[in-house]
Amino acid sequence: MTTSTQPAKFRKRVSPDLRRLVGSECASLSGSAVSTVALPTLAVLDLDASTTQIALLAFLGQLPNAIVALPAGAFSDRHAKRPLMIAADLTAAAVLVTIPAAAFAGVLGIGQLYAVAVVLGIAKIVHSSASISYLPVLVEADLLQHANSRLGAASSVADSAGSNMGAALVGAVGAARSILADVLSYLVSAFLVWRIRTPEPAAAPAEGRGSLARDIGEGLRYVAGQPTIRTVIAALSTLSFGLAIMNTYWAYYLLAGLRMSPSAFGVMMGVGGAGSLAGALLAPRIASRIGIGPTIIIGFAVSPLAQIPLLLAGPGLAWQLGLAAALATQLFWATASGTSQRSLRQTLCEPRFQGRMQAASTTLTAGARPVAAAVAGALVLLLGVRGALAVGAVLQTVPVGLLLLSPVRALREMPSLLARTAVPPAREGAS
């Protein structure tokens, strides 16, 4: 199918329900970006939190990604996804509104922020597990790539706008009151999901179900038995580990080691965001031109290459411009690859395993980050900051090898639905 006809076909066949799902994701992401700025600001400026308390707050916010994703994925495969998304959004709104309420009453403490971080993290995981696996219900299989592209582009804009709005709101009305914007965003998200009318496939009857633990095990075995899906998830988790090592000291290295000013750092992040947006928008066209497999592999291969300027850089405007260009290139291909590999996994995965497949990916990628942060600390003691960054960059070459040895290398077009059932597992995804 040519690139000239595919976007027009997508626009013609896109459903209002997909627009509502995209709007829901944008609303919750933009609000979450506000809270990402407001919560640590509130802890530091209003509650005088120590560095240990700030670290614990960040850790608790990430903890549900590692321990709740698998049960949430199995739960979303058992039940209708739309009510789960609505319940998660309403839970997030309810727990967040307690912060400005407690601040107004003068009883807000760091313990409450800890509790909010945990509950909010769980709500996000439940919503994410349901929404990602809900997309194939709303969109025909041959248009998943374009749907993920639209979702990725909208999410990129929403996240960037939310971060800027969060900084502005914190300065204008204070950190506690600014969280009301996130409360509103979750209510809007719940309303948009409530308006979705596309029916879902019927879930298995309750009397025929096993335990949740059995469902989780069944999902893990399914993922392990699919060569393309398991290789892509393994590549994602390895890349996440390498990036997490670098991200632990990345900002510190730029600001302290290379003496980059905060304003220059912000501009560089903005340029990187623009690259991510372009990658999301152009992902379907790139995949149509060079093939779905090469798009995925190039995205992984560019990541370690883009770290070379960082490892060689010194202070000065010329290096700052080079680092901004490298970041934009990295995020362009990372987003193009990300929408492509997500679409590939959704296409190949059987509907009854969608939630558990996504949950396995989330658990492995997010679960690697706390471990990577600890490894980064040890590496800095042994090798220094630049040495730790170099180790993280080298680790990012490993997933490229995994993908080159997998069926992904031979993929030029998105597999048909028949590939799920007609192709034996050992040959799944091969051309």
Side-chain angles (χ1 to χ4, degrees):
M1 186 168 293
T2 64
T3 58
S4 60
T5 60
Q6 184 73 8
K9 179 182 178 183
F10 176 74
R11 287 193 296 270
K12 184 177 179 180
R13 291 165 60 184
V14 68
S15 69
D17 282 347
L18 176 61
R19 296 191 185 98
R20 293 179 184 119
L21 181 65
V22 172
S24 165
E25 295 300 300
C26 288
S28 60
L29 276 173
S30 59
S32 294
V34 173
S35 289
T36 299
V37 175
L39 284 177
T41 302
L42 182 62
V44 173
L45 298 183
D46 292 12
L47 301 180
D48 295 320
S50 66
T51 54
T52 301
Q53 289 173 323
I54 293 296
L56 181 57
L57 181 63
F59 172 77
L60 290 174
Q62 290 293 325
L63 187 61
N65 288 310
I67 65 175
V68 179
L70 286 176
F75 199 74
S76 70
D77 282 340
R78 283 183 166 213
H79 301 280
K81 296 171 178 57
R82 184 169 150 269
L84 286 177
M85 294 162 65
I86 295 172
D89 284 340
L90 294 179
T91 299
V95 72
L96 280 168
V97 80
T98 66
I99 293 178
F104 180 77
V107 295
L108 181 64
I110 191 67
Q112 182 175 344
L113 293 191
Y114 292 157
V116 168
V118 172
V119 176
L120 184 61
I122 293 172
K124 287 180 179 179
I125 286 294
V126 172
H127 178 100
S128 178
S129 296
S131 65
I132 293 176
S133 54
Y134 193 34
L135 185 63
V137 176
L138 301 180
V139 180
E140 297 176 37
D142 60 327
L143 298 180
L144 268 175
Q145 173 81 345
H146 282 272
N148 274 310
S149 172
R150 172 175 289 196
L151 190 59
S155 298
S156 178
V157 172
D159 187 57
S160 177
S163 296
N164 293 329
M165 182 172 64
L169 282 173
V170 167
V173 302
R177 289 190 183 94
S178 67
I179 290 174
L180 290 172
D182 200 5
V183 174
L184 178 61
S185 76
Y186 280 110
L187 294 177
V188 171
S189 175
F191 173 73
L192 290 173
V193 174
W194 174 75
R195 292 197 61 208
I196 294 175
R197 294 294 179 262
T198 301
E200 298 182 52
E207 59 270 15
R209 297 175 189 156
S211 66
L212 194 65
R214 180 178 176 182
D215 282 359
I216 293 172
E218 184 184 21
L220 292 175
R221 288 191 295 273
Y222 174 81
V223 170
Q226 308 301 312
T228 299
I229 293 176
R230 73 166 181 249
T231 302
V232 171
I233 291 177
L236 282 171
S237 60
T238 309
L239 179 67
S240 178
F241 190 85
L243 284 171
I245 288 177
M246 298 194 71
N247 288 341
T248 303
Y249 292 102
W250 182 70
Y252 172 84
Y253 179 70
L254 291 173
L255 296 171
L258 300 184
R259 299 193 294 276
M260 182 180 290
S261 69
S263 58
F265 182 76
V267 170
M268 187 182 75
M269 294 298 292
V271 172
S276 176
L277 175 61
L281 291 172
L282 295 176
R285 183 170 297 182
I286 294 170
S288 179
R289 288 285 182 86
I290 67 175
I292 189 75
T295 300
I296 293 171
I297 293 172
I298 290 174
F300 278 83
V302 166
S303 187
L305 293 175
Q307 312 309 328
I308 295 175
L310 178 69
L311 299 174
L312 299 177
L317 178 60
W319 278 114
Q320 291 174 8
L321 293 174
L323 291 176
L327 180 63
T329 302
Q330 176 190 354
L331 294 182
F332 174 92
W333 280 104
T335 309
S337 174
T339 60
S340 299
Q341 60 83 12
R342 189 179 305 113
S343 302
L344 176 63
R345 288 188 289 117
Q346 289 169 333
T347 299
L348 290 174
C349 184
E350 294 181 31
R352 64 192 182 97
F353 288 108
Q354 286 282 347
R356 282 167 285 181
M357 182 272 292
Q358 300 293 348
S361 176
T362 299
T363 300
L364 289 173
T365 54
R369 292 168 193 158
V371 178
V375 171
L379 288 172
V380 165
L381 295 177
L382 293 172
L383 306 173
V385 174
R386 193 187 293 260
L389 295 175
V391 171
V394 171
L395 284 176
Q396 292 173 51
T397 64
V398 175
V400 181
L402 292 175
L403 292 170
L404 287 173
L405 295 173
S406 77
V408 175
R409 178 177 55 85
L411 284 175
R412 292 298 178 268
E413 297 180 353
M414 193 68 72
S416 68
L417 290 177
L418 293 176
R420 273 202 306 241
T421 55
V423 179
R427 297 276 299 167
E428 175 237 295
S431 60

